[in-house]
Amino acid sequence: MFADRARIFVRSGKGGDGHVSFRREKFVPAGGPDGGDGGRGGDVIFAVDEGLNTLIDFRNTRKYRAEDGEPGGQKNCRGKDGKDIVIKVPQGTVIREAQSGKVIVDMSGDNREVVLLKGGRGGNGNQHYATSTMQAPKYAQPGQPAQELELMLELKMIADVGLVGFPNVGKSTFLSRVTNARPKIANYHFTTLNPNLGVVDLDGTNGFVIADIPGLIEGASEGVGLGHEFLRHIERTKVIIHIVDAAGTEGRDPVADIYAINKELEAYNPEIANRPQVIAANKIDAIYDRENSPVKAIREEFEPKGITVYPISAVSGEGVRELLYKVNSMLEEAGEDVKVYQPEYFPELSDAKLSDEPFTVEYDKENKEYVVEGPRIEKMLGYTNLSSEKGFQFFQNFLKENGILKKLEEMGIEDGDTVRMYGLSFDYYK
C-alpha cells in the first residue's frame, strides 16, 4: 500500500530534576550541599532516509517519545541525559502542525536532519544555591518540562517532471518505456493507484526524474476521484508532460481533454498550471489516416499559446526520444532549485510562557529610529527566513498579532520611518 499522509504525536524528553542532598561523611557531620544536576531530556529529530519512499511505517506507530533526563544524585552526581529519538522520513516530506496545518519544516533541499523539539534542560542541584547566608539550601530546581506536538506528515515527491492526463491515455506505458520503472499496466481506468517514479537516462545529459501521477478526472481538484489525493506530488515538478490520447480510442476529444486537465491544475494550484508544459500526443500508432491526423488540430490549438506538441507512440517508441530531449532543455532553462516550503509554525514560539514575555518599543532620538526588543522577537528573527517573501510576510503577521505594530502606531510612526530589531533595520510602510 502506498501511503503519503500520516498523523503522529511526538514528545521530547523532560529535563531531570535537580537533587537535594548534603555531604555526610565520617568526621564531617555538617557537610555542605552536594545535590547533583538533572540530565537533559532527549530531542525529537527528523532525518531524511533515502531508502524510504512512503509514509507507510507511520500507519503502525503513531506515538514517538524521546527519553526523559534522569534526576541528579548525591555527591554532585549529574543525572544521565535522555536519549534523542530520530524519526526517519522520505525526502520531500512536509511536516505540519496538525491543528493549524502550518508548515514547521520541509524535509527537502538542505534539510536533511532537523531538531524539531528540544528536550527540557536539567534542573540545578541544591549545591548551586549555597550562599554566605544560606549555607544549607533545602531546595533544587526542577527540570524543564517536555514539549509535545501533534503533527501531520505529507509526502510531496521530488521529481523534475510530472506526467498528467486522463486515465488510460498511456502514462504508465510511457514511463515504463523511458525509465527503469515498471508500473502495472492494463486497459481500464485508474490502473495506477500509486504515483510511480522513474529516472530517465539520456545520452549527453544528466538525466531527470519523472513522476507518473494517477489519472485525473474532472472535479479532481474538488476531491472527486483519486486525482485529488495525488495532485500534491506534482507541486515540486519544474516541467509538466501532458499526455493525451490523440487517436481518441475511447471516443474522447483530445483538445477538450487537455483543457479539462489544465482547468483542474488551475483550480488546485494556479502556480502548477503556470509551469512549463509540453503536450505528448500519444497513440499515433492507432491513427490510420495520417493526412487528417487529430494531431494537427491539437497543434493549431496549443502551439500558438507557446505549448509545443510532440506526436508519439509510447508502444512503439516513435517520437519519444525527441520529446525527452525537449523536456531536458526545458529543465535546463528552469534551473536547479527545488521548491522548498518555508516554515510557518515555530514550536519554540508556541510556549505560553514565552508568549507572555514583554517587549519594549522605544524611540532613539539620536539615530531617529524606533527600537523594538524582547526575547520572543529575538527568537523569531532567528527562526525566520526574512530573505523569502513568505518568511517576511509571516514575520509581519507576527508583529501584528503580538500588538507590536499597534504600539508603533500609537507612538506616531509614519511611512518611511526606520525600525531596528537586534541589528536588523526595516523601513515602515502601512
Side-chain angles (χ1 to χ4, degrees):
M1 177 191 289
F2 180 83
D4 60 357
R5 299 186 82 182
R7 193 180 183 113
I8 65 171
F9 171 86
V10 295
R11 176 188 180 276
S12 64
K14 174 189 176 298
D17 295 336
H19 188 70
V20 176
S21 63
F22 298 90
R23 185 179 170 199
R24 292 292 182 266
E25 298 178 22
K26 194 174 182 180
F27 308 118
V28 188
D34 68 351
D37 301 342
R40 180 187 61 84
D43 298 337
V44 175
I45 301 171
F46 277 83
V48 170
D49 186 337
E50 300 288 355
L52 297 177
N53 54 19
T54 78
L55 299 174
I56 189 68
D57 293 344
F58 298 100
R59 295 287 174 94
N60 301 320
T61 307
R62 295 182 181 272
K63 294 184 177 180
Y64 297 84
R65 291 182 171 90
E67 280 188 355
D68 293 340
E70 290 186 355
Q74 297 177 347
K75 299 181 180 179
N76 298 328
C77 288
R78 185 179 185 277
K80 183 180 177 183
D81 291 341
K83 288 184 179 178
D84 300 335
I85 184 168
V86 179
I87 303 172
K88 296 183 178 181
V89 294
Q91 186 179 14
T93 301
V94 179
I95 303 171
R96 302 177 185 271
E97 196 275 323
Q99 300 301 321
S100 65
K102 292 182 177 179
V103 175
I104 299 175
V105 65
D106 181 355
M107 301 301 290
S108 308
D110 295 331
N111 293 332
R112 314 300 295 178
E113 186 170 294
V114 175
V115 178
L116 195 86
L117 295 179
K118 292 192 72 66
R121 194 170 60 243
N124 291 329
N126 69 332
Q127 59 173 313
H128 292 278
Y129 300 104
T131 65
S132 58
T133 57
M134 174 72 72
Q135 296 183 8
K138 296 181 180 179
Y139 56 86
Q141 184 184 35
Q144 283 187 333
Q147 289 184 292
E148 55 186 47
L149 269 181
E150 194 164 5
L151 305 175
M152 177 63 73
L153 309 184
E154 186 178 53
L155 178 59
K156 297 177 186 285
M157 286 181 172
I158 297 180
D160 301 303
V161 179
L163 298 182
V164 300
F166 270 90
N168 220 26
V169 296
K171 298 196 306 298
S172 296
T173 305
F174 176 81
L175 188 74
S176 64
R177 170 166 287 279
V178 303
T179 74
N180 54 358
R182 294 292 175 262
K184 294 179 180 179
I185 300 169
N187 187 28
Y188 53 86
H189 291 276
F190 286 113
T191 301
T192 307
L193 297 182
N194 302 336
N196 291 296
L197 285 179
V199 179
V200 175
D201 292 320
L202 277 178
D203 292 340
T205 74
N206 295 325
F208 51 87
V209 179
I210 291 185
D212 167 28
I213 309 303
L216 303 180
I217 59 175
E218 290 180 82
S221 59
E222 299 170 1
V224 177
L226 297 180
H228 178 68
E229 291 300 313
F230 299 107
L231 275 165
R232 67 178 66 94
H233 294 301
I234 58 173
E235 290 187 23
R236 298 191 199 272
T237 57
K238 302 170 190 172
V239 174
I240 292 175
I241 299 178
H242 195 144
I243 297 187
V244 65
D245 178 1
T249 56
E250 295 187 342
R252 303 183 62 90
D253 178 359
V255 172
D257 281 0
I258 294 169
Y259 276 120
I261 293 296
N262 283 342
K263 182 181 176 183
E264 294 305 321
L265 296 179
E266 175 75 26
Y268 179 74
N269 187 337
E271 188 181 335
I272 297 175
N274 291 327
R275 301 265 165 85
Q277 188 176 127
V278 61
I279 294 173
N282 193 25
K283 301 189 180 182
I284 59 172
D285 53 291
I287 299 174
Y288 303 105
D289 184 1
R290 292 294 179 99
E291 292 184 4
N292 299 308
S293 171
V295 175
K296 182 180 178 183
I298 299 172
R299 277 182 163 152
E300 289 176 349
E301 184 69 26
F302 293 101
E303 291 198 337
K305 303 178 189 299
I307 304 175
T308 310
V309 178
Y310 281 84
I312 69 163
S313 169
V315 173
S316 69
E318 183 181 352
V320 170
R321 186 177 178 82
E322 292 82 358
L323 169 65
L324 294 179
Y325 274 103
K326 170 63 176 177
V327 170
N328 186 74
S329 66
M330 293 168 73
L331 287 172
E332 290 177 348
E333 291 177 11
E336 295 292 326
D337 292 341
V338 175
K339 178 179 175 61
V340 178
Y341 293 85
Q342 295 297 322
E344 302 169 324
Y345 183 93
F346 303 90
E348 294 83 357
L349 299 176
S350 64
D351 186 358
K353 292 181 181 177
L354 183 61
S355 65
D356 292 337
E357 289 185 341
F359 62 85
T360 59
V361 181
E362 298 175 350
Y363 184 69
D364 183 345
K365 292 182 179 180
E366 183 178 345
N367 294 309
K368 296 182 179 179
E369 57 187 11
Y370 292 85
V371 181
V372 181
E373 293 182 339
R376 195 170 195 224
I377 296 163
E378 188 176 18
K379 278 199 172 187
M380 173 59 78
L381 286 169
Y383 293 126
T384 310
N385 179 13
L386 297 176
S387 61
S388 76
E389 182 180 350
K390 196 165 186 178
F392 191 76
Q393 184 179 10
F394 179 78
F395 185 65
Q396 285 182 310
N397 290 336
F398 164 80
L399 297 178
K400 182 177 180 180
E401 291 170 2
N402 285 269
I404 297 168
L405 292 183
K406 183 179 179 181
K407 182 66 175 176
L408 287 167
E409 290 168 0
E410 289 174 353
M411 294 179 66
I413 194 170
E414 297 180 356
D415 284 358
D417 286 350
T418 302
V419 180
R420 189 176 80 240
M421 301 181 192
Y422 292 97
L424 295 173
S425 295
F426 308 91
D427 290 333
Y428 173 85
Y429 290 100
K430 192 168 183 178

